Amino acid sequence: MSTKRSPKLNLVVAVCNNGGIGKDGQLPWRLKKDMEFFKKITTQTKDNGKQNAVVMGRKTWLSIPEKFRPLANRINIILSTTIDPFDGVYVAKSLDEAITMVTGNGVLADKVEGVHIIGGSSVYKAALESDFACRIYLTRVLAEFDCDTFLPEFNQNVFKKIDNCEDVPKGKMNDKNIDFVFEVYDKMFL
Ligand SMILES: NC(=O)c1ccc[n+]([C@@H]2O[C@H](COP(=O)([O-])OP(=O)(O)OC[C@H]3O[C@@H](n4cnc5c(N)ncnc54)[C@H](OP(=O)(O)O)[C@@H]3O)[C@@H](O)[C@H]2O)c1
């Protein structure tokens, strides 16, 4: 692995001790501080004239309560082979097609600053296995939950943990007696 492609993909995911990320189409937990972090990291831009793209699978889109979707102040792109674009929401048939929309001569290229991959399982997998530069903002939920959807394993020799990343709050957090920590991993290239 000696080349990397732009843009850098930012995966944003919360995962519990048994690798789970979802249950029955929902998050297995409700962590207010993590939701606030998710909102901040996916929304903030350096250029006020641009927004970040949030790229998600169709089921993750459906998991967002109707009143909160599309996710505000972000360009929402759903990956799906079965639905058409609607109400200002973009649809791409693959991760590559979504990236084409936001780069080069793509329809969204002038509008998008960062690209955030927000799940679910197969969308994370496509991003992790791609040759795009990649950062993972990982909320490690320090408990076990009954889950039916899991984060694909990522190679710890390729993704290195970044300590003292200024983007994330430090130390153990707690919400409703659930401990969690924010971690950041960057994909290393030779
Ligand atoms: N903990 C977290 O951080 C987190 C984050 C996100 C989601 N979740 C949870 O995860 C669950 C939903 O995730 P999921 O893995 O079941 O489903 P998902 O990835 O959100 O959606 C799956 C669907 O997305 C489309 N899709 C996925 N990858 C694609 C690709 N590469 N190209 C084209 N289309 C693609 C397909 O739609 P078509 O069938 O229409 O082709 C597929 O059936 C929920 O429980 C949710 O709450 C958790």
Side-chain angles (χ1 to χ4, degrees):
M1 186 206 323
S2 56
T3 57
K4 62 177 169 186
R5 280 164 73 196
S6 291
K8 183 174 188 172
L9 307 182
N10 298 291
L11 280 66
V12 189
V13 61
V15 59
C16 67
N17 282 347
N18 43 324
I21 61 168
K23 171 72 176 167
D24 297 333
Q26 298 296 319
L27 291 174
W29 46 76
R30 188 138 296 278
L31 302 172
K32 191 162 175 277
K33 286 179 215 159
D34 185 50
M35 296 305 284
E36 287 167 0
F37 173 74
F38 173 85
K39 184 176 176 186
K40 175 172 162 269
I41 206 79
T42 57
T43 306
Q44 69 184 7
T45 53
K46 293 193 178 91
D47 180 343
N48 287 336
K50 292 189 175 183
Q51 294 186 336
N52 293 322
V54 280
V55 178
M56 72 197 92
R58 179 176 53 80
K59 293 179 186 169
T60 295
W61 165 263
L62 291 173
S63 76
I64 302 168
E66 263 186 78
K67 62 179 174 183
F68 293 126
R69 66 190 206 215
L71 293 174
N73 304 315
R74 286 151 282 186
I75 293 171
N76 288 229
I77 303 177
I78 304 174
L79 294 194
S80 171
T81 57
T82 60
I83 61 170
D84 293 318
F86 56 94
D87 295 343
V89 171
Y90 296 84
V91 174
K93 291 194 186 324
S94 66
L95 180 62
D96 268 343
E97 188 179 315
I99 302 304
T100 300
M101 290 163 84
V102 302
T103 52
N105 296 322
V107 284
L108 295 167
D110 296 343
K111 300 187 175 76
V112 167
E113 185 168 294
V115 181
H116 291 72
I117 307 295
I118 62 165
S121 204
S122 54
V123 184
Y124 290 134
K125 188 166 192 288
L128 288 166
E129 289 177 354
S130 75
D131 52 3
F132 290 106
C134 211
R135 165 169 281 194
I136 308 173
Y137 290 98
L138 187 143
T139 304
R140 197 171 288 287
V141 181
L142 301 170
E144 293 216 359
F145 286 84
D146 181 23
C147 292
D148 57 20
T149 312
F150 296 86
L151 178 67
E153 297 250 336
F154 57 92
N155 187 337
Q156 305 265 342
N157 293 319
V158 176
F159 285 88
K160 292 287 183 199
K161 193 170 169 197
I162 307 298
D163 291 322
N164 301 316
C165 177
E166 62 185 26
D167 286 350
V168 303
K170 290 176 190 38
K172 200 181 276 187
M173 322 281 286
N174 184 280
D175 204 339
K176 297 190 209 87
N177 288 324
I178 301 168
D179 287 334
F180 58 101
V181 287
F182 294 111
E183 297 178 353
V184 176
Y185 294 83
D186 272 344
K187 187 173 178 180
M188 298 294 150
F189 290 86
L190 297 177

